[in-house]
Amino acid sequence: MALIQGPQKSGMRVGEIRVQTHLSRPAVSHHLKILKDAQIISVRKEGTRNFYRLDAGSKLMSLKNLVNEIDKLFEHCEEHATEATIRNQ
């Protein structure tokens, strides 16, 4: 969940994920390897630092994008409902 909720452009480092999940560093690394092998996440390297993020082509990323679009649609509907209520008063 930390990767889903975290910044997608820059990605997250193992230490950041560890803090959010309260897992040990080896446990986080183990899970990241499984997710990487399953092509759910990708790794961006900057020197000796690795940044992990959802793989842009993964089904999980597509699902996250769909949920974000549904959230925007609900917000838009709520705004219009509020405006209509104010006009009708």
Side-chain angles (χ1 to χ4, degrees):
M1 285 304 271
L3 279 174
I4 294 173
Q5 297 169 340
Q8 291 304 307
K9 286 192 176 193
S10 61
M12 295 180 73
R13 301 202 49 217
V14 171
E16 296 170 309
I17 297 168
R18 188 190 61 74
V19 168
Q20 287 191 13
T21 60
H22 306 290
L23 295 172
S24 68
R25 189 180 255 339
V28 169
S29 295
H30 174 74
H31 286 91
L32 289 173
K33 181 185 181 329
I34 292 169
L35 293 170
K36 184 177 174 233
D37 291 347
Q39 298 178 336
I40 294 172
I41 63 170
S42 60
V43 181
R44 179 177 54 86
K45 296 180 183 254
E46 277 186 19
T48 60
R49 301 183 315 167
N50 294 331
F51 294 86
Y52 297 88
R53 61 181 172 210
L54 289 178
D55 189 290
S58 76
K59 289 185 185 335
L60 192 55
M61 181 60 123
S62 297
L63 180 60
K64 179 182 179 180
N65 292 336
L66 176 62
V67 169
N68 288 341
E69 290 301 316
I70 291 170
D71 281 344
K72 288 178 193 175
L73 180 63
F74 279 134
E75 288 174 11
H76 183 73
C77 291
E78 287 173 354
E79 289 171 9
H80 282 292
T82 301
E83 290 171 7
T85 302
I86 291 171
R87 279 195 302 259
N88 292 331
Q89 290 180 356

